[in-house]
Amino acid sequence: MSEIAVDVRILAATHVNLEEAVREGRFREDLYHRLNVLQVKVPALRDHPEDIEILARYFFERFIREKPGRLKGFSRDALQAMRDYSWPGNIRELINRVRRAMVMCDNRLIQPEDLGIERRQGPASGLSLCQARDKAERDALVAALQRNAHRVQAAARELDVSRVTIYRLMEKHGLARPMSEAPA
């Protein structure tokens, strides 16, 4: 019997907070340190509403080959329903809902019902007035930046505010500065 050299990498994922599990004695510390060479924390989809439409369109384009026909994309109501939804199942739920909608849709544009997401009337339930204002402010800022290819001056002009206000709002809402405008 001879030895064979191999180059192996192990990728492990969990929903459990392993640092906490180690502290509580529910996970072996030595195994944690062997596995935790490179930690990648994936943020929840609900924390990045600006990504929802981009990802939905990406998966739509990816799966459109499976259902040839008249299906063209998402209605405005469907896009708004996706932005308003909390996505407890994160990206996997988004993928499944887009695929479901593509199967269930009989029209040219996917509707909220096709996604299995009920369209709420008014602001998202459970939000205070201050939270609703912050959400609307963030959504308007993200949309303006996207429409203007992340050019702060153009977004400021569109929103009728100063560049300084845009930067202040970006900081307030945890949005990264565009690379071309980051301080040196």
Side-chain angles (χ1 to χ4, degrees):
M1 182 176 270
S2 62
E3 289 184 16
I4 300 172
V6 295
D7 182 13
V8 177
R9 289 182 173 84
I10 298 174
L11 178 65
T14 182
H15 68 285
V16 175
N17 181 335
L18 290 181
E19 291 170 345
E20 187 177 304
V22 167
R23 277 193 304 274
E24 294 173 356
R26 295 182 294 120
F27 195 82
R28 286 183 20 210
E29 186 172 9
D30 64 312
L31 182 55
Y32 170 77
H33 290 294
R34 285 181 186 266
L35 291 173
N36 193 28
V37 175
L38 175 65
Q39 193 174 82
V40 179
K41 293 195 179 200
V42 179
L45 187 55
R46 73 183 144 271
D47 296 336
H48 293 275
E50 67 275 12
D51 293 343
I52 293 169
E53 182 176 344
I54 295 165
L55 290 167
R57 289 184 191 280
Y58 168 79
F59 290 114
F60 177 87
E61 292 301 324
R62 185 170 161 199
F63 300 131
I64 193 64
R65 290 179 218 105
E66 295 174 10
K67 187 182 182 198
R70 344 178 308 180
L71 195 56
K72 298 295 179 202
F74 299 94
S75 70
R76 283 186 182 159
D77 283 346
L79 292 172
Q80 186 61 51
M82 286 190 285
R83 282 190 293 271
D84 291 344
Y85 187 65
S86 66
W87 298 105
N90 218 354
I91 189 74
R92 286 184 186 92
E93 182 180 6
L94 175 67
I95 294 167
N96 290 340
R97 287 192 182 272
V98 168
R99 291 191 90 171
R100 173 192 194 279
M102 293 176 77
V103 169
M104 300 303 292
C105 185
D106 291 326
N107 302 310
R108 294 183 69 211
L109 296 175
I110 291 171
Q111 300 298 320
E113 313 79 70
D114 301 320
L115 291 159
I117 298 175
E118 292 181 23
R119 181 86 164 94
R120 294 185 190 140
Q121 299 300 321
S125 62
L127 291 181
S128 69
L129 181 58
C130 185
Q131 290 169 322
R133 282 184 188 141
D134 279 350
K135 181 181 179 343
E137 182 179 75
R138 185 182 197 283
D139 290 348
L141 176 62
V142 166
L145 286 168
Q146 284 179 342
R147 282 191 300 273
N148 290 286
H150 295 276
R151 292 188 312 271
V152 171
Q153 184 66 41
R157 222 179 354 262
E158 178 183 321
L159 295 173
D160 197 26
V161 296
S162 69
R163 271 187 0 191
V164 172
T165 298
I166 295 288
Y167 287 125
R168 182 183 55 76
L169 291 173
M170 289 172 71
E171 185 173 331
K172 174 184 175 183
H173 295 292
L175 301 171
R177 277 188 172 188
M179 293 302 288
S180 60
E181 301 199 26

